[in-house]
Amino acid sequence: MLAEIVTASSSSGSPAVLIIVNLALFALMVGGIILLLRARRKRRTTLDPAFQGAPVGHGVVTDLQYMYRKVNETPLYRITYHVHTKQGQQFLGWEEKYLLRISEKPQFEVGTNHLVAYRPGTDQVRALPPRR
C-alpha cells in the first residue's frame, strides 16, 4: 500500500510543477527571514524615546564596565563617556546597554567616538544609533 502511494505521488507531478512549488516555498522562507532581520535592525537602530529630540554632543568612551547582569545571555555594561557639547561644555555621562560580546562590544571599547544624545541637567546619555 505504501509503495503504491509513493510511486503514485512521485509520478503524478511533473518536474516543472515541483520546481515552481519549491521556488515559491524558498521565496516565502527568504521573505520571512528578511522581515525578521528588518524588525531586529529597527529595534537596534531606534533611539530611546526619552532622548528623542535631545541635544547631541560628541562622546568618547572612557570606561566600559560589566554590571554582572545578563538577559538571554546578553551582558549588561555601563558605558561612561566624556561628552563635549556644541556649546563647548564638557561633562561625564553614562548609559547602561546590553551588548553582544562579538558584534557590539568592540564598538564601545575605551577610546571609541560616538554621537550621544543628552538631557541637560542629568548625566545620562544615549549613543545615537548608526545611520544606514
Side-chain angles (χ1 to χ4, degrees):
M1 177 80 169
L2 183 61
E4 292 174 16
I5 295 172
V6 170
T7 56
S9 66
S10 63
S11 64
S12 65
S14 70
V17 172
L18 290 175
I19 290 172
I20 291 172
V21 168
N22 283 335
L23 285 175
L25 289 174
F26 181 73
L28 282 173
M29 190 170 47
V30 168
I33 291 170
I34 289 172
L35 288 175
L36 288 173
L37 288 174
R38 283 188 177 181
R40 182 174 180 224
R41 181 181 290 170
K42 185 174 182 179
R43 273 186 267 124
R44 287 276 182 207
T45 60
T46 303
L47 184 62
D48 183 354
F51 287 85
Q52 296 273 343
V56 176
H58 176 78
V60 178
V61 176
T62 59
D63 191 25
L64 179 69
Q65 290 182 323
Y66 174 58
M67 298 301 291
Y68 302 101
R69 182 175 174 194
K70 287 185 179 183
V71 173
N72 295 331
E73 296 301 317
T74 304
L76 177 68
Y77 290 92
R78 183 181 182 120
I79 305 166
T80 305
Y81 299 94
H82 187 146
V83 180
H84 302 271
T85 67
K86 290 181 180 177
Q87 294 79 22
Q89 300 170 338
Q90 299 179 16
F91 67 95
L92 287 178
W94 61 273
E95 76 171 315
E96 290 183 344
K97 185 177 257 204
Y98 289 97
L99 299 175
L100 297 173
R101 290 181 190 258
I102 295 173
S103 62
E104 294 174 341
K105 187 177 177 233
Q107 297 172 8
F108 291 93
E109 290 295 332
V110 174
T112 56
N113 298 310
H114 299 273
L115 290 177
V116 294
Y118 63 93
R119 291 186 297 180
T122 69
D123 58 350
Q124 286 191 17
V125 298
R126 296 292 183 272
L128 294 179
R131 293 192 175 193
R132 300 216 178 243

